[in-house]
Amino acid sequence: MTQANPKVRWFTPDKPDNISVGRERIASHLRQNEGFHVDVVGTTLPTVRTAIRERDRYDVILGTTRAGAIAGTLIGRVTGKPVIVDHVDPIRQFRENNSPFFSIPVRIAENISFALAELVLYVYEEEYDRVSRYASQHMKTELGVDYRRFASPNSEIIDSVQDQLAEYELREYVAIYVGGLEPIYHIRELLMAMSYLPDWSLIVLGEGSLRGMLEEVDADQENIHYLGLVPHETIPGYLNVADVGVSLVDDPHTLKILEYGAAGLSVVQASGLAEERFRERVEYADSDPRSIADAIRRAGERENVEQLQSFISEFDWKQIAGDYVDALKSIK
């Protein structure tokens, strides 16, 4: 390959447009600031078939775990195109939420994708041993945040969100949760915690298998407001009205904390793996509703939120995208 900027077909998990937006943020930077041609597609049988048929329209395949990496490797073998695996999720999370009957074959398929890829970009340090065992080349990267957009949100978006929320009777303090509505995120426990916080309102934004439960609780409990899935560009406006952002998944790299912190919110995070990374910059809670409520209350009393915001400014997408520029330009 002789051209400086190869054309890229990027396979990502097939999720709604406003969930897992990080890959699109990197792709946007590659297009606008680095001159790459990047097509980001969800990983489905039709997109796989299209990629095989359109092999002359791209030079490199990027595949994001899990489905994107596995499918991208398969397409690479069929088309002869080089593959970069974008490994952003530890197998531990998948194993905890799926049976061995499913998780073991997925792990094996991932290992094969590492071995066949030209390069593996990985995020989680816990995955280093596995990646280095199979991949011929690997590079550490990070998840990032569109820092400026959250730290200095557009005034029109703020006004629009405030107009929307005017119909709700928000209490003195506001907590917010943005993300997937799945049991792994301890959504039920968060909702139960609100019964211990009479001075607080909770805003929930997102989509997932627990949506029906959220709609029922929204109708029954006055201090919980479920607003569904909203355009990602409006999220800084919602964070602007909140005091505390909540993330209850045991994950040190979750995008939620980065967005909350960039917006200047205090943060409640699940106790465990995140503590070494964020240390005293956030409050921690276990999955007990009373522990969650206590942590939200403590977070609301914090006065040093600038410490977290300053730390998160180091993870702007523009800086993270530099790793992808280097990876793509390394493919010959």
Side-chain angles (χ1 to χ4, degrees), residues 8-297:
V8 183
R9 186 69 57 95
W10 194 337
F11 285 86
T12 65
D14 187 36
K15 295 183 178 181
D17 290 341
N18 296 306
I19 294 178
S20 297
V21 299
R23 307 303 94 194
E24 183 55 55
R25 295 289 178 246
I26 295 175
S28 178
H29 177 78
L30 293 176
R31 295 184 197 106
Q32 296 175 14
N33 300 306
E34 302 293 341
F36 284 86
H37 182 280
V38 184
D39 286 329
V40 179
V41 296
T43 305
T44 65
L45 187 57
T47 60
V48 169
R49 288 172 174 166
T50 298
I52 294 173
R53 187 172 63 249
E54 296 180 348
R55 65 188 71 188
D56 294 335
R57 298 188 182 184
Y58 57 90
D59 304 299
V60 178
I61 298 166
L62 253 170
T64 299
T65 51
R66 313 208 114 75
I70 296 170
T73 303
L74 173 63
I75 297 167
R77 300 304 289 178
V78 172
T79 63
K81 304 293 183 178
V83 177
I84 297 174
V85 168
D86 179 38
H87 185 47
V88 299
D89 289 316
I91 194 65
R92 167 184 52 83
Q93 290 182 358
F94 191 81
R95 188 173 59 244
E96 290 172 354
N97 292 281
N98 294 276
S99 70
F101 182 78
F102 191 31
S103 62
I104 291 175
V106 168
R107 180 188 180 99
I108 293 171
E110 282 191 342
N111 293 344
I112 293 172
S113 72
F114 297 161
L116 295 178
E118 298 289 324
L119 173 69
V120 177
L121 288 159
Y122 70 99
V123 170
Y124 287 77
E125 193 62 40
E126 67 186 88
E127 290 290 280
Y128 170 77
D129 288 344
R130 185 163 74 106
V131 169
S132 61
R133 185 182 308 127
Y134 293 100
S136 59
Q137 294 187 76
H138 50 82
M139 180 189 301
K140 181 77 166 65
T141 187
E142 294 284 350
L143 298 184
V145 64
D146 197 350
Y147 180 81
R148 188 179 301 275
R149 194 164 59 89
F150 284 87
S152 303
N154 181 287
S155 59
E156 293 182 1
I157 290 176
I158 291 176
D159 292 342
S160 175
V161 169
Q162 289 179 340
D163 288 344
Q164 179 190 2
L165 294 177
E167 65 182 272
Y168 299 97
E169 295 183 6
L170 297 179
R171 300 187 180 179
E172 183 176 1
Y173 306 103
V174 177
I176 190 166
Y177 172 83
V178 181
L181 304 181
E182 304 297 338
I184 187 178
Y185 302 122
H186 298 290
I187 303 299
R188 291 186 177 89
E189 293 85 349
L190 173 59
L191 301 181
M192 293 169 64
M194 296 309 297
S195 64
Y196 299 108
L197 296 168
D199 297 330
W200 287 75
S201 292
L202 173 66
I203 295 173
V204 178
L205 307 174
E207 182 62 88
S209 65
L210 300 180
R211 174 174 182 147
M213 182 192 70
L214 261 295
E215 292 172 341
E216 292 178 5
V217 173
D218 181 9
D220 294 337
Q221 196 162 333
E222 293 182 354
N223 66 338
I224 295 176
H225 307 287
Y226 173 54
L227 278 61
L229 190 64
V230 302
H232 192 265
E233 61 268 19
T234 67
I235 289 178
Y238 291 97
L239 299 186
N240 183 72
V241 305
D243 301 287
V244 172
V246 182
S247 172
L248 297 174
V249 62
D250 187 12
D251 184 343
H253 293 282
T254 178
L255 179 59
K256 299 180 188 67
I257 293 187
L258 300 183
E259 292 181 345
Y260 297 156
L265 273 63
S266 294
V267 171
V268 172
Q269 166 67 352
S271 300
L273 297 172
E275 294 183 57
E276 182 177 355
R277 184 184 191 195
F278 293 105
R279 301 184 184 276
E280 74 286 349
R281 300 180 186 95
V282 308
E283 297 292 337
Y284 299 97
D286 60 34
S287 58
D288 178 75
R290 190 177 292 275
S291 174
I292 297 169
D294 289 343
I296 290 174
R297 194 178 291 110

